[in-house]
Amino acid sequence: MTDKIRVRFAPSPTGYLHVGGARTALFNWLFARHNGGEFVLRVEDTDTARNRDEFERGIFDGLRWLGLTWDEGPDIGGAFGPYRQSERQALYREAAEKLRASGHVYECFCTDTEPDVQSSESVPTDRTAADRTAASCPCRALEPAVRLERMAAGEPAALRMAVDPTLAITVVDLIRGDVTFPPGTVPDFIVVKRDGGALYNFAVVSDDHSMRITHVIRGEEHLANTPKQLLIYEALGWQPPAFAHIPIILNEQRRKLSKRDGATFVNDYETMGFLPQALVNFLALLGWSPGDNREILSIEEMIRDFTLAGVVKHPAIFDPAKLAWMNKEYMKQVAPDDLAHMVATLLPVLRPNAARKDAPHVARVTALLAERVRTIAEIIEHGAYFFDTDPPEPTSEALSKHCAAPDTVGRLAAVRDALVKADDFSVAGVEAAIRGLAEANGTKAATYIHPLRVALTGQAVSPGIFEVASILGRDVALARIDALLNRLALAPAPRS
RNA sequence: GGCCCCAUCGUCUAGAGGCCUAGGACGCCGCCCUCUCAAGGCGGAGACAGGGAUUCGAAUUCCCUUGGGGCUACCA
């Protein structure tokens, strides 16, 4: 029981679920499921200035959408709650008292290192460089009597860890091996703020210990924090968990992925019409490999084959093109009805003014477009002319490419005539009408097809035109041909 | 600046001394199919950062250089 594997994902609600965070959550989740362990969700909301409830909900929703279910968490409870750090302050005070009693921390009365709270994006400048290079704070050398006196006077003090500057600290990392930090590289650091609140490194240790976390799997940006946490474990006499620092995800400019990089939150992908399964598969392969050449892996396979040994050490660049490809692969596996339902769900979001959105119509459009797009949203974008009643505005490319010939108007008129006379407007019926027309005139069907495409879709490219016409229906098709005919009569298309 | 991590095709990666004239996938480029697109088929270009060392033999081990990244808050 005690050696049951327990991991956690500990986001801070200062933003929505980031793909980097999602990938960290995924690796933790896979590790837990692979080992029959437990996956704990903990909210690290000790930064009260930047937290927002909305973000917490968004993170939960994102995880659920991806299918990363947790065994314990703020919303469902568990044996080691509460699961929000803001609700665990008493635990931290207790641990802090222990540290104080054992002489591992000292009161720090400094006030000159207030963080710049103006903008959360701001990076610390070098103005406190001198302070930061100092291994310890002057307060550490304060006479006990002076210290007591100032405390008695009610002067607020932070608690700072008294780090032994002669000791090297080694982090044993499951992915990177032993990482040693030389003596003196870890300065005395704050553990409890002046307002009494526990700081990240301290709260994390306290929580991971009391929640019986056995493996801490987190982003590499935390590697440099680990010696501090190790020091706290030692001071408290606690056994530290195993650590595994996974490589971070970079943007295409090779920088840490940030909100400036376009779509970086998982809910962005949801609204862009990605399938959660595809995102999960893609994220799993960012930094992890099953060891063979498989690219498309089911959740079951991922769980079965996931090991930390299969995680690479180097950072990975997020490649949207490969994600798109993968999404298409997953779209191929979705039943047509389900796909149509997804389109119907997204349609009001992406095209609130869609005029034609009845289920049978959406289903036909989806079936036609699905094989030539990479996301659900693209069905709606590329097939916009299916959802509108007004004739599409032809693109300049479509006009110059397919309507520049002098006899375009004549051909279009002939097509119109043929479509009026078509026995029926099924795909076969439309095709018979157009091909019959071409045959009668001894020309290639393409000469009629392309102008018709422009009339019906406004685009130079589209799905098969017979299908398009059939779905649109005779009335709409004729109206669109008339519209283009009018347009060409008023302003002849430019020569190509 | 200091400390730490990392380094195979443009990108994600396989590779744990000979199986590597380095494999796969995305992307890219041709050709075929074809009403355009997509899909599909066939073919192609494309990498072990550099230098030392160890070894009979290094993509694989060690060192240095270079490059990239992370951390360096009373943020997480």
Side-chain angles (χ1 to χ4, degrees):
Chain A
M1 181 63 218
T2 45
D3 49 15
K4 182 159 199 173
I5 282 179
R6 289 172 58 82
V7 296
R8 46 54 162 199
F9 175 57
S12 68
T14 54
Y16 291 104
L17 183 61
H18 194 268
V19 292
R23 200 268 242 112
T24 300
L26 174 62
F27 282 16
N28 273 283
W29 185 84
L30 288 173
F31 185 74
R33 293 290 175 265
H34 177 85
N35 291 296
E38 281 152 355
F39 177 61
V40 177
L41 177 60
R42 181 175 75 219
V43 175
E44 310 220 320
D45 56 351
T46 52
D47 185 354
T48 50
R50 295 199 294 152
N51 294 330
R52 276 165 62 180
D53 289 348
E54 174 196 351
F55 291 141
E56 181 182 295
R57 277 194 304 278
I59 290 168
F60 290 8
D61 288 345
L63 290 171
R64 279 192 211 100
W65 183 68
L66 291 171
L68 305 183
T69 51
W70 48 98
D71 304 304
E72 298 167 26
D75 56 334
I76 54 174
F80 302 92
Y83 293 91
R84 278 189 197 87
Q85 291 191 328
S86 57
E87 296 164 9
R88 301 175 64 81
Q89 293 298 326
L91 271 331
Y92 307 144
R93 270 194 289 280
E94 201 177 298
E97 208 33 65
K98 233 181 129 181
L99 284 179
R100 193 207 299 269
S102 59
H104 288 282
V105 294
Y106 57 90
E107 286 74 17
C108 172
F109 301 99
C110 299
T111 58
D112 59 347
T113 50
E114 297 287 8
D116 181 8
V117 291
Q118 298 302 75
S119 72
S120 56
E121 293 294 301
S122 78
V123 175
T125 65
D126 267 343
R127 78 183 200 285
T128 54
D131 302 326
R132 283 190 280 105
T133 47
S136 66
C137 170
C139 297
R140 182 168 178 175
L142 248 32
E143 291 295 330
V146 177
R147 185 192 310 278
L148 256 22
E149 192 179 306
R150 292 176 71 167
M151 285 173 67
E155 191 173 339
L159 248 34
R160 204 179 270 277
M161 194 74 181
V163 178
D164 182 344
T166 66
L167 247 43
I169 304 161
T170 296
V171 176
V172 178
D173 189 284
L174 264 22
I175 293 172
R176 283 149 217 288
D178 291 0
V179 179
T180 299
F181 295 76
T185 44
V186 178
D188 288 1
F189 57 95
I190 303 278
V191 135
V192 178
K193 293 185 266 193
R194 283 207 297 162
D195 66 8
L199 218 45
Y200 169 71
N201 282 123
F202 181 52
V204 165
V205 168
S206 176
D207 291 341
D208 285 340
H209 175 260
S210 62
M211 291 180 179
R212 312 267 173 84
I213 299 302
T214 58
H215 299 254
V216 170
I217 303 170
R218 73 219 319 188
E220 198 203 311
E221 67 266 28
H222 290 287
L223 182 55
N225 282 321
T226 311
K228 295 177 184 172
Q229 296 177 200
L230 247 17
L231 252 15
I232 297 172
Y233 278 106
E234 199 178 306
L236 255 10
W238 294 342
Q239 170 80 29
F243 292 99
H245 289 92
I246 65 180
I248 59 175
I249 299 177
L250 269 24
N251 63 21
E252 285 159 294
Q253 285 75 239
R254 300 194 149 275
R255 308 287 305 186
K256 191 172 165 185
L257 207 59
S258 79
K259 27 262 126 198
R260 275 271 151 257
D261 297 314
T264 55
F265 295 110
V266 331
N267 60 309
D268 292 334
Y269 289 92
E270 187 174 359
T271 56
M272 283 192 295
F274 282 83
L275 267 18
Q277 183 57 227
L279 221 209
V280 165
N281 194 152
F282 175 74
L283 253 19
L285 258 25
L286 256 196
W288 172 73
S289 162
D292 50 36
N293 286 333
R294 283 174 295 163
E295 299 284 339
I296 303 295
L297 303 178
S298 68
I299 287 285
E300 291 69 29
E301 287 176 292
M302 288 183 227
I303 291 172
R304 190 192 65 207
D305 299 332
F306 184 84
T307 61
L308 289 176
V311 177
V312 302
K313 297 174 177 175
H314 54 267
I317 293 171
F318 190 94
D319 180 9
K322 185 156 184 178
L323 204 212
W325 164 77
M326 193 164 276
N327 197 62
K328 189 188 186 87
E329 290 303 302
Y330 275 92
M331 279 179 65
K332 290 177 184 170
Q333 297 175 18
V334 177
D337 285 354
D338 294 335
L339 227 38
H341 185 255
M342 289 180 217
V343 173
T345 305
L346 216 47
L347 188 54
V349 180
L350 266 25
R351 221 154 225 280
N353 298 322
R356 308 181 71 186
K357 53 194 169 197
D358 56 286
H361 186 250
V362 169
R364 292 188 74 186
V365 172
T366 300
L368 184 60
L369 248 24
E371 65 182 43
R372 52 201 94 215
V373 298
R374 300 185 303 180
T375 67
I376 301 289
E378 280 182 0
I379 291 178
I380 295 165
E381 289 162 20
H382 294 194
Y385 50 83
F386 280 122
F387 304 112
D388 295 338
T389 41
D390 291 339
E393 186 72 16
T395 64
S396 56
E397 185 203 1
L399 252 17
S400 63
K401 215 166 172 179
H402 299 306
C403 299
D407 53 339
T408 301
V409 170
R411 285 187 213 152
L412 225 31
V415 168
R416 186 190 197 287
D417 197 42
L419 290 183
V420 169
K421 290 182 193 148
D423 294 333
D424 70 285
F425 229 68
S426 65
V427 175
V430 173
E431 177 160 10
I434 303 294
R435 292 208 188 278
L437 176 63
E439 207 167 319
N441 289 284
T443 54
K444 296 203 304 187
T447 56
Y448 295 103
I449 285 172
H450 291 306
L452 177 59
R453 188 190 317 286
V454 178
L456 300 186
T457 72
Q459 311 288 318
V461 303
S462 80
I465 202 62
F466 310 128
E467 284 85 352
V468 170
S470 178
I471 291 176
L472 250 18
R474 194 183 323 242
D475 292 346
V476 172
L478 295 180
R480 290 187 180 184
I481 292 172
D482 289 339
L484 182 57
L485 244 16
N486 273 329
R487 181 188 192 92
L488 293 175
L490 292 173
R495 299 273 168 164
S496 55

